[in-house]
């Protein structure tokens, strides 16, 4: 131990006496270690931590698909069929989302609410930290005025009141009884794609299924694959059932209709996983380049220390002792570089969290926790060994006797081949990274050139809903929205005459026009939705809008007057 402390003190003095070398090496290492730490902190939070469900790989989302719709919702009659007829799944449950004005617990607050069927808690394997989950009878219309709070809302809005269960709160001026509190980590799978999280949970309360609404797809659904059943077997059973739908209800389904089971981890992380792994490989290459750079610096530095090393040999230091001293210096350098890298990583992660360029799931969970710091210590140690061992061995093998003779200051270690290898490796890795960066920049530039379909300058968006206690029927809501629109307008596409009691009209986008009326003029064409006698007339065509992202193809869309 005393020898190690002596080597460390000597290494520190050596680095202090060579500030230019030390500063360049530290900056190089800080960049390599910091970039790796930052990206690993994201990978750790997003990919390495399991979802907060029991056996998350068995939790599956149920997504319908048909012509022009690769991924959409299920209808209530379909949901009932899946719940009653599919033997490979258990705890199939629907869920949706809404929002409420919360009162009765401090300042009024607008909260995001999950509307769920009670079986969803068994499907996710979720257990409340206080109280209970919903009962089956509480999922019926007229009995649904019960609520579960998330732990975060319970603590922030109700001061972690231990007597919260049984307390009454107001949601949109309606009394709801708190029956339980759910852990803060619990989120619905679709919450991860949003930057707003569920704060309260209420029963969905669908009521009896209406066979006439088989084509009304508007529900999210998930379930759990039964133990011992493979996902492929469950999908095969679903395929058989949906083919039966096509035969029994030919008017509602086309030949492309079906249902896809998507495991929750794939739903949450599927889009971002490849990008994060590519980033991890890229910053790994940056670290290797940094190691090569520092190794080159150490080789040049060892040449200037030949006389010092020769004197050590004369005084009795063996080859192993010299290697140990040089490795101690490189390990100290890597440790200091790692510490600087942690500081850099903190700044990088905060910037990534704020900008969120990849729309990363669980971005709020990214932190430099113990696992990330252990990773940083590991790569710092490996880096110190990697860039220090070769120069140390090379210096210990050199013929140091000429350094003791007259003119020995001009002696050199014969390492030109090693330097050439390091330089070639650095250049090769740098060229690959630069080429990849240029390709990404080109793709990004092309993405920015995509026509959004609308002029985003001076445009503000908002979401609002009207409480049913104040606006009890559709007519009062239409009147309220009409008045809001009248106050906010600078123009409109639908005249005020387009009301529910007049001719039903829509405006379609270009994709819908091409899909349903190829080579024809869609103006004046009529269509109907669902099984009813209300025909809707196309009165206009608008450009496609990329609602889901500039890299996603627009879907057929139509616009209806809100008061129709």
């Amino acid at each position: 131990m005393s020898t190690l402390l002596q080597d460390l003190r000597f290494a520190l003095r050596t680095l202090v006496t060579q500030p230019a070398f030390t500063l360049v090496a530290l900056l190089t290492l800080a960049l390599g270690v910091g970039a790796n730490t930052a990206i690993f902190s994201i990978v750790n939070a997003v990919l390495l931590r399991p979802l907060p469900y029991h056996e998350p790989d068995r939790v599956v989302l149920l997504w319908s698909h048909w012509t022009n719709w690769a991924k959409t919702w299920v209808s209530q009659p379909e949901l009932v069929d899946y719940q009653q007829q599919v033997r490979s799944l258990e705890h199939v449950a629907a869920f949706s989302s809404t929002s409420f004005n919360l009162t009765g617990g401090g300042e009024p607050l607008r909260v995001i609410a999950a509307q769920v069927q009670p079986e969803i808690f068994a499907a996710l394997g979720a257990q409340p930290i206080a109280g209970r989950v919903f009962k089956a009878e509480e999922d019926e219309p007229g009995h649904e005025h019960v609520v579960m709070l998330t732990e975060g809302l319970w603590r922030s809005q109700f001061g972690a009141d231990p007597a919260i269960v049984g307390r009454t709160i107001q949601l949109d001026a309606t009394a709801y009884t708190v029956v339980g509190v759910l852990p803060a980590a619990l989120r619905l799978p679709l919450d991860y794609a949003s930057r707003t999280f569920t704060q309260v949970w209420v029963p969905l309360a669908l009521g009896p299924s209406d066979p006439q609404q088989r084509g009304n797809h508007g529900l999210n659904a998930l379930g759990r694959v039964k133990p011992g059943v493979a996902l492929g077997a469950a999908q095969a059973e679903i395929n058989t059932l949906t083919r039966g739908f096509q035969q029994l209800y030919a008017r509602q389904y086309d030949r492309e209709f079906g249902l896809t089971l998507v495991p929750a981890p794939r739903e949450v992380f599927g889009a971002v996983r490849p990008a994060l792994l590519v980033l991890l490989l890229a910053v790994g290459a940056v670290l290797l380049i940094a190691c090569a750079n520092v190794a080159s610096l150490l080789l040049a530095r060892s040449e200037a220390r030949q006389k010092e090393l020769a004197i050590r040999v004369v005084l009795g230091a063996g080859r192993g002792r010299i290697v140990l001293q040089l490795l101690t210096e490189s390990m100290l350098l890597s440790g200091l570089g790692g510490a600087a890298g942690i500081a850099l990583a903190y700044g990088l992660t905060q910037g990534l969290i704020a900008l969120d360029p990849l729309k990363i799931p669980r971005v709020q969970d990214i932190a430099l926790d113990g696992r990330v710091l252990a990773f940083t210590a590991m790569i710092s140690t490996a880096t110190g060994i990697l860039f220090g061992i070769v120069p140390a061995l090379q210096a210990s093998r050199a013929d140091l006797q000429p350094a003791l003779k007259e003119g020995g200051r001009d002696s050199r270690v014969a390492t030109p081949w090693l330097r050439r290898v390091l330089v070639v490796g650095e250049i090769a890795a740098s060229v690959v990274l630069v080429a990849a960066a240029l390709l990404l920049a080109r793709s990004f530039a092309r993405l920015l050139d995509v026509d959004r379909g609308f002029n985003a300058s001076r445009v503000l968006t908002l979401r609002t809903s009207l409480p049913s206690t104040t606006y009890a029927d559709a007519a009062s809501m239409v009147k309220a929205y009409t008045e809001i629109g009248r106050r906010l307008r600078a123009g409109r596409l639908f005249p005020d005459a387009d009301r529910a009691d007049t001719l039903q009209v829509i405006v379609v986008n270009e994709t819908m026009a091409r899909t349903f009326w190829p080579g024809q003029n869609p103006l004046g064409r009529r269509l109907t939705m669902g099984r009813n006698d209300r025909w809707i007339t196309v009165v206009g065509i608008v450009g496609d809008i990329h609602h889901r992202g500039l890299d996603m193809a627009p879907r057929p869309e139509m616009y209806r007057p809100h008061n129709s």
Side-chain angles (χ1 to χ4, degrees), residues 271-293:
V272 76
R273 185 190 299 270
L276 289 181
L277 295 179
V278 168
L279 279 176
L280 196 59
L281 290 174
V283 295
V286 171
L287 183 60
L288 290 177
I289 294 173
C291 289
N293 274 318

Side-chain angles (χ1 to χ4, degrees), residues 468-493:
S468 58
T469 53
T470 306
Y471 303 91
D473 52 32
S476 60
M477 290 186 178
V478 167
K479 183 179 179 180
Y481 280 121
T482 300
E483 178 61 20
I484 293 172
R486 185 189 65 79
R487 295 183 181 185
L488 295 177
R489 275 198 296 262
R492 59 180 183 268
L493 290 174

